[in-house]
Amino acid sequence: MRIAIPREVVAGETRVAIIPEMLPLMIRDKHQVVVETGAGHGAGFSDDEYVEAGAVIVSQPQALYEDSDLVIKVQPPAMHSSLQRHEAELIPEAATYIGFLAPLANRELIKMLMERKITAFSVEYIPRITRAQSMDVLSSMSTVAGYKAVLLATGRMRKMIPLLMTAAGTIPPATFLILGAGVSGLQAIATAKRLGAKVEAFDPRPLVREQVKSLGASFVEMEMPEDVETAGGYAKEQSEQFLEKEREAIRARLPRVDVVISTAQVFGKRAPVLLTEAMVRDLRPGSVIVDLAAEQGGNCELTKAGETIERHGVSIMGPVNLAATVPVDASRMYSKNVTTLFKHLYPKPGVMPDFADEIVKGCCITRAGEIVNAQISTALSRETG
Ligand code: NAD
């Protein structure tokens, strides 16, 4: 198989889908790997490192895509500005694609992939089951985001984080409130604790209480909702009545909090609003909110995705694609996850993906001109009406 690794074209994307270290796993099964020149530069991997690992470097993107059987990327195929062609048109007809797709937000792209009979695997739809943990790109990228969110907050804060006992007196520790303690929230708790912060956290999923405590943070106790989790372990959308109670519990804490990192999300829905403008006023001037749900509408009603704004003396940061700000490790993790998926799809030379397998079935979105993922096809046909 000829496997193509393009240079990412979306502005600000610094990650690369496959790092040189992963190539031997593909090459030993007699696959040929072609890499676009500079594909790894943003993440610190040179063309020479790819060549040493056995890849062929190609300088023209058309030549890279030509005759490829499989294209592996990070960002969903997008318009290639220098070629003035969409990347989905560059992928050879009936070839295979592995990468992010965000299918619900990219209806036109899904149509193009169908028309070109591309077998497209969307990494965000890899089922979050134990067997697929080593392929879980969402967890990897959330880990990076949770870590980086704390560092963003510290760069914006006007005070130090740890408790310091000095000759000039005692400096109290900063207090962080983490809303949503899934993968990114737990990593934010761990990072803030390492820096010496006092950390409080809340998540409506009952299992999370122990996880929060095991990281040395305190759990914000409140009446928990009854019907909280899907079979896959995700939080369900909560009623407005519960969210109102949750906002009250959060509000009571805000006057003592220096940083809020919010990560609350409900898969496929708008993120719940946990911080209203009135609540932002309750924070002390100089406090910082880092809203990791910015792209899903934000947990704070003032958040602007991709911007940092200041309201009522509070900095409200709505970072997007934080993983691309730590491209070395984000690429390392992404590449490891995606290579594991690749080995799952193609375990031996000449063996094709088993489309009846739960993992393969879960993340395959288009194949042979059709949408083969029931969840996506139902959601898209509902939109069409
Ligand atoms: P996510 O990014 O969709 O959501 C982040 C967090 O927001 C979740 O913990 C959710 O409970 C929380 N949340 C939702 N509504 C909230 C509200 N009103 N207030 C506060 N918090 C709220 O989730 P994620 O971090 O990607 O994953 C969540 C869970 O999925 C994991 O903790 C785990 O249980 C499951 N998971 C399983 C596997 C696996 O088995 N392979 C892998 C990853 C995740």
Side-chain angles (χ1 to χ4, degrees), residues 25 49 53 76 78 103 114 123 132 170 205-206 212 233 250 285-286 289 303 325 328 337 346 356 381:
L25 291 169
E49 285 173 88
M114 276 161 66
V123 292
T170 300
R205 287 182 299 115
V212 164
I250 294 168
I289 297 171
T303 298
T325 66
V328 174
N337 293 145
Y346 305 98
S381 57

Side-chain angles (χ1 to χ4, degrees), residues 127-134 136 138-139 142 178-186 202-205 207-208 211 228-229 232-238 242-243 246 250 263-267 272 274 299:
R128 300 184 89 177
I129 53 174
T130 309
R131 201 159 61 86
Q133 243 165 10
S134 54
D136 188 350
L138 289 183
S139 286
S142 293
I178 315 290
L179 301 174
V183 181
S184 56
L186 290 172
F202 177 72
D203 194 294
R205 287 182 299 115
L207 260 183
V208 175
Q211 295 170 349
V228 69
E229 245 176 13
Y234 277 114
K236 284 190 177 167
E237 193 172 25
Q238 295 305 318
F242 172 78
L243 289 176
E246 184 177 353
I250 294 168
T263 74
Q265 293 193 37
V266 177
F267 193 78
L274 304 179
N299 292 138

Side-chain angles (χ1 to χ4, degrees), residues 298-320:
N299 292 138
C300 172
E301 65 182 13
L302 298 178
T303 298
K304 290 201 187 321
E307 291 183 32
T308 295
I309 57 168
E310 198 156 326
R311 292 284 187 281
H312 314 297
V314 174
S315 296
I316 304 164
M317 311 178 86
V320 296

